[in-house]
């Protein structure tokens, strides 16, 4: 049948074009690979090379995060996730370009935190169960965690960063940012992924209040992190996760210094 997955021109009734990676995403991947090669060889201003490597890598991870939400939603019954262009990995489809892309990149560069960025609109009424709804929300931060583990593999298998230090420092920082994004998104704050994981299981009367608070989730998140005790616990969790997956914490600081290339001075 033409509407079966992988058959004909349709996938579950959706044209296959809805699943093809967008030229913008492919361009980001090409720029990421180019920046990695430049950082590896020390081409030009190596600090700027690392900046380009980390920022493009972060944008790729943002696309993958939102794609994961949309893919699980699509497979769980929300066919419109494909019609909205969410499965093309186009960053411009993931909510407002300024608030969802530019602002998180600024926070990454200035604060070294992987701020939750894009957003996809999911029709939770079309999902087949509460568990599926929670899995849709879990898919994003899980993708960040998987990305971090992939970036940690070279270090697990013996890379120390003594050679090509700038390149490895950039990858370590990118992995660290993935961990901050995963942990931030799993905090059970209304409006964030962690809150959305819990929402389907709340009593109906609680959901109404939850939904009123949800638009202010980012403000609540910043307020929590502004508290020194909570902020310290947050970074302790991130560093502990980094240690568990083998990400070398001694490279984070070097990566962050390189990221701010306009201030960087080589030793």
């Amino acid at each position: 049948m033409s509407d079966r997955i992988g058959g004909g021109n349709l996938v579950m009734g959706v044209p296959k074009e809805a699943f093809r990676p967008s030229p913008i995403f492919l361009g980001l991947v090409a720029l990421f690979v180019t920046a990695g090669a430049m950082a590896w060889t020390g081409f030009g201003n190596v600090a700027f090379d690392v900046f380009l490597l980390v920022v493009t890598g972060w944008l790729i991870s943002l696309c993958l995060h939102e794609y994961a939400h949309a893919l699980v939603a699509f497979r769980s019954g929300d066919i419109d996730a494909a019609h909205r262009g969410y499965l093309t990995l186009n960053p411009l489809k993931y909510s407002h370009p300024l608030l969802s892309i530019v602002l998180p990149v600024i926070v990454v560069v200035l604060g070294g935190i992987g701020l939750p960025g894009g957003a996809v609109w999911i029709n939770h009424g079309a999902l087949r169960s509460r568990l599926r709804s929670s899995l849709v929300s879990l898919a994003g931060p899980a993708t960040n965690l998987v990305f971090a583990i992939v970036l940690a593999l070279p270090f697990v298998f013996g890379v120390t960063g003594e050679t090509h230090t700038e390149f490895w420092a950039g990858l370590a920082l990118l992995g660290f940012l993935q961990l901050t994004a995963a942990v931030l998104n799993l905090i059970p704050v209304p409006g964030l992924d962690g809150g959305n994981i819990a929402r389907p299981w709340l009593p109906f009367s609680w959901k109404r209040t939850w939904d009123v608070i949800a638009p202010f989730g980012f403000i609540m998140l910043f307020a929590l992190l502004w508290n020194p005790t909570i902020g310290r616990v947050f970074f302790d969790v991130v560093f502990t996760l980094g240690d568990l997956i083998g990400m070398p914490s001694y490279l984070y600081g070097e990566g962050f210094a390189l990221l701010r290339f306009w201030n960087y001075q080589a030793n």
Side-chain angles (χ1 to χ4, degrees):
M1 295 177 62
S2 62
D3 60 346
R4 290 163 59 182
I5 293 178
N9 294 318
L10 299 177
V11 178
M12 295 176 65
V14 179
K16 285 187 175 181
E17 289 77 8
F19 302 89
R20 291 176 182 167
S22 73
I24 296 177
F25 178 77
L26 295 177
L28 283 173
V29 172
L31 191 55
F32 175 72
V33 172
T34 301
M38 291 165 60
W40 180 271
T41 59
F43 177 83
N45 184 337
V46 71
F48 181 77
D49 298 343
V50 171
F51 168 85
L52 200 59
L53 175 70
V54 173
V55 170
T56 54
W58 173 250
L59 289 174
I60 288 169
S61 74
L62 185 152
C63 293
L64 293 174
H65 176 112
E66 301 305 333
Y67 174 84
H69 285 312
L71 180 62
V72 176
F74 176 77
R75 297 302 298 269
S76 299
D78 183 10
I79 305 301
D80 286 340
H83 290 299
R84 297 187 191 100
Y86 296 157
L87 299 179
T88 64
L89 290 159
N90 185 346
L92 300 182
K93 296 292 184 179
Y94 303 135
S95 195
H96 194 284
L98 177 62
L99 299 179
S100 301
I101 299 175
V102 177
L103 178 61
V105 168
I106 291 174
V107 173
V108 163
V109 172
L110 298 182
I113 296 177
L115 184 72
V120 294
W121 188 87
I122 302 297
N123 180 8
H124 286 270
L127 304 182
R128 299 190 183 101
S129 67
R130 290 186 296 176
L131 177 60
R132 296 262 187 170
S133 186
S134 292
L135 290 176
V136 168
S137 299
L138 178 62
T143 299
N144 290 117
L145 182 57
V146 170
F147 198 177
I149 292 172
V150 170
L151 291 171
L153 288 178
F155 306 106
V156 172
F157 287 104
V159 170
T160 62
E162 293 181 1
T163 59
H164 304 288
T165 302
E166 293 84 2
F167 172 82
W168 295 116
L171 284 194
L173 176 62
L174 183 57
F176 173 80
L177 293 173
Q178 301 307 310
L179 293 176
T180 64
V183 174
L184 278 176
N185 274 287
L186 289 174
I187 296 175
V189 172
L192 300 183
D193 289 336
N196 292 333
I197 291 170
R199 185 187 178 281
W201 308 94
L202 298 175
F204 180 76
S205 59
W206 289 27
K207 289 181 182 178
R208 297 179 63 181
T209 303
W210 194 268
D211 292 341
V212 170
I213 299 173
F216 306 100
F218 269 118
I219 298 175
M220 295 175 63
L221 180 63
F222 277 116
L224 287 171
L225 292 179
W226 192 260
N227 181 286
T229 301
I230 296 176
R232 184 168 58 252
V233 170
F234 167 75
F235 280 106
D236 284 346
V237 170
V238 172
F239 281 115
T240 299
L241 281 175
D243 291 340
L244 285 174
I245 67 173
M247 190 72 72
S249 58
Y250 59 85
L251 286 175
Y252 299 163
E254 178 66 14
F256 187 61
L258 287 159
L259 181 69
R260 305 178 72 175
F261 66 91
W262 56 90
N263 287 332
Y264 183 74
Q265 293 182 348
N267 295 328

